[in-house]
Amino acid sequence: MAIICTTTTTSPAEKEHEPKQDLENDQTLSLVFNPSLLNLQSQIPNQFIWPDEEKPSIDIPELNVPFIDLSSQDTTLEASRLIAEACTKHGFFLVVNHGVSESLISEAHRFTERFFDMPLAGKQKAQRKTGESSGYASSFTGRFSNKLPWKETLSFRFSNEKSGSRTVQDYFSDTLGQEFEQFGKVYQDYCEAMSSLSLQIMELLGLSLGVNREYFRGFFEKNDSIMRLNHYPPCQTPDLTLGTGPHCDPSSLTILHQDHVNGLQVFVDNQWRSILPNPKAFVVNIGDTFMALSNGMFKSCLHRAVVNRESARKSMAFFLCPKKDKVVKPPNEILEKMTPRRYPDFTWPMFLEFTQEHYRADVNTLDSFSNWVITNNNPI
């Protein structure tokens, strides 16, 4: 079997807004998702089967997203116009000529494949602990009891607070051992490249919103972000499950690089549309935190990932997040044009806690979090 069942006690902090199974003595079945055995199963466990109204559509139209060329300063105004147009509608665009080394991207993909090809026991050395955002997760079996995603992930923190910080490199060596030092070096370099790219994009977002181009760059200069490696194994019944369920990213900005396998879908105009892989481009989308920074002017859009029978799919996502003590609130230039305030002041750790311990991310995450902040009178 590909799914090993064990019984564990669930703490109150683990309970989500979506009810877990009602088991005697407040216990839930903890499933271990073993990708190396999944192809042996003709039927998938019920926990991975999604409701009919959420089951995937494989053959869907492609989403028309703008290509933002970052190579020329001459195109800055046009780029900001295209970004504003996309972000007021769905929040997705592609960046090309981004300056990130092709060899670094290729190396990062190669080490992603090497990690997920490891035996399950090796990957579990980095097992993600309850309430934490870093570590290895086989599906989200420790957090949810139904509508489980058909994937495994490795997430780790990146800090840009101090020059020369080796947060990522230290994580791999400390968690998985010195033999993973090269993994750490590659992903340290990759995260630094993503941080630099995200700050460049933040300048364009500022221009798109009529804000000084340095404002958001400065806000995220010392970012404390999350890097995630995703692996979506083949599935014998891809029409019944999802690689990642419909959600909006709670972070500020996501920079995604896909391999050659199609799977990313975005919900626009009441229809799912795909964004096809492009090895020369990064997919960029607005997250809930930046939606709050823009007072709702730019949209954090619902998206998901689908799986298939034939090919594994891998992707790498960099989630830009502000430094922990930064207060998330729109700049005055935006509030002068758009009032009233749509969301309360908050910090990223408050929002992260909400999504890790109290709520399963969906299209209403930001509104639900705002109500939670106001209802609980949570001070910053």
Side-chain angles (χ1 to χ4, degrees):
M1 289 183 65
I3 305 296
I4 305 167
C5 295
T6 58
T7 304
T8 58
T9 302
T10 304
S11 69
E14 291 178 81
K15 298 187 188 302
E16 306 291 335
H17 79 290
E18 178 176 293
K20 286 180 174 283
Q21 293 171 322
D22 183 17
L23 297 180
E24 188 176 358
N25 298 324
D26 193 28
Q27 293 181 330
T28 61
L29 290 178
S30 178
L31 304 176
V32 179
F33 183 77
N34 191 343
S36 66
L37 302 176
L38 290 174
N39 276 334
L40 302 179
Q41 292 193 172
S42 58
Q43 294 182 330
I44 63 175
N46 288 335
Q47 291 91 336
F48 295 89
I49 297 177
W50 286 65
D52 288 344
E53 65 273 13
E54 295 186 82
K55 286 189 173 77
S57 303
I58 306 301
D59 297 320
I60 61 173
E62 184 178 353
L63 178 64
N64 182 24
V65 289
F67 283 75
I68 307 302
D69 186 344
L70 298 180
S71 64
S72 174
Q73 291 296 319
D74 297 335
T75 61
T76 298
L77 290 178
E78 176 64 8
S80 63
R81 185 191 68 80
L82 291 172
I83 287 175
E85 188 177 288
C87 290
T88 53
K89 186 173 184 182
H90 51 65
F92 276 80
F93 54 93
L94 303 181
V95 294
V96 294
N97 295 322
H98 40 67
V100 181
S101 163
E102 288 187 16
S103 61
L104 177 58
I105 297 171
S106 176
E107 192 81 335
H109 273 292
R110 186 170 70 86
F111 277 100
T112 296
E113 188 164 4
R114 280 183 59 182
F115 177 81
F116 289 119
D117 281 347
M118 288 169 51
L120 181 62
K123 291 178 284 192
Q124 287 178 326
K125 289 180 180 178
Q127 189 70 44
R128 182 172 169 177
K129 295 181 176 62
T130 301
E132 294 187 359
S133 56
S134 294
Y136 170 74
S138 54
S139 188
F140 287 130
T141 55
R143 295 182 61 198
F144 309 119
S145 61
N146 58 15
K147 298 200 297 185
L148 295 179
W150 196 263
K151 70 173 179 179
E152 55 179 343
T153 63
L154 178 67
S155 307
F156 42 92
R157 173 178 170 255
F158 168 77
S159 174
N160 201 45
E161 184 171 358
K162 296 179 181 178
S163 177
S165 172
R166 310 302 293 176
T167 315
V168 176
Q169 196 168 330
D170 291 345
Y171 171 80
F172 275 87
S173 296
D174 295 346
T175 305
L176 292 165
Q178 289 302 315
E179 61 270 32
F180 286 84
E181 183 179 3
Q182 189 59 33
F183 281 73
K185 287 180 178 178
V186 168
Y187 289 119
Q188 181 74 46
D189 290 345
Y190 187 84
C191 286
E192 288 174 2
M194 292 300 98
S195 178
S196 178
L197 176 59
S198 68
L199 296 180
Q200 190 176 354
I201 294 170
M202 278 297 156
E203 291 188 18
L204 292 174
L205 288 172
L207 289 173
S208 301
L209 287 164
V211 176
N212 185 301
R213 67 183 299 162
E214 296 297 323
Y215 181 86
F216 290 121
R217 182 185 183 95
F219 189 86
F220 289 99
E221 190 79 48
K222 297 180 179 180
N223 63 85
D224 198 325
S225 299
I226 299 168
M227 181 74 204
R228 179 167 298 158
L229 314 178
N230 300 302
H231 174 223
Y232 304 91
C235 178
Q236 295 301 312
T237 52
D239 56 323
L240 297 181
T241 192
L242 288 169
T244 300
H247 68 286
C248 297
D249 294 337
S251 54
S252 299
L253 192 76
T254 303
I255 304 179
L256 178 79
H257 199 275
Q258 308 184 77
D259 67 4
H260 62 284
V261 180
N262 188 23
L264 175 62
Q265 298 184 349
V266 183
F267 196 67
V268 181
D269 296 331
N270 294 313
Q271 183 181 20
W272 287 104
R273 296 177 180 270
S274 66
I275 296 182
L276 300 180
N278 183 331
K280 302 287 188 182
F282 286 102
V283 182
V284 180
N285 67 274
I286 299 298
D288 286 341
T289 298
F290 195 85
M291 185 173 173
L293 278 170
S294 73
N295 204 32
M297 290 179 66
F298 281 4
K299 308 302 180 188
S300 176
C301 192
L302 199 67
H303 56 285
R304 68 185 185 183
V306 299
V307 295
N308 66 82
R309 285 189 182 86
E310 294 79 22
S311 302
R313 176 175 177 262
K314 297 181 180 70
S315 66
M316 304 182 297
F318 180 82
F319 300 103
L320 180 71
C321 310
K323 187 181 173 186
K324 293 179 180 179
D325 61 357
K326 286 282 189 181
V327 177
V328 176
K329 59 181 179 181
N332 291 332
E333 292 95 324
I334 290 177
L335 293 178
E336 288 170 0
K337 295 182 295 184
M338 183 182 183
T339 54
R341 285 280 301 276
R342 290 191 57 183
Y343 311 103
D345 290 356
F346 63 90
T347 62
W348 168 242
M350 291 169 61
F351 200 7
L352 183 62
E353 176 199 342
F354 180 74
T355 60
Q356 293 298 310
E357 299 186 14
H358 303 288
Y359 197 87
R360 185 172 186 171
D362 60 16
V363 70
N364 298 311
T365 305
L366 183 55
D367 287 335
S368 297
F369 170 68
S370 297
N371 292 334
W372 180 75
V373 170
I374 294 168
T375 301
N376 291 278
N377 195 24
N378 284 313
I380 295 178

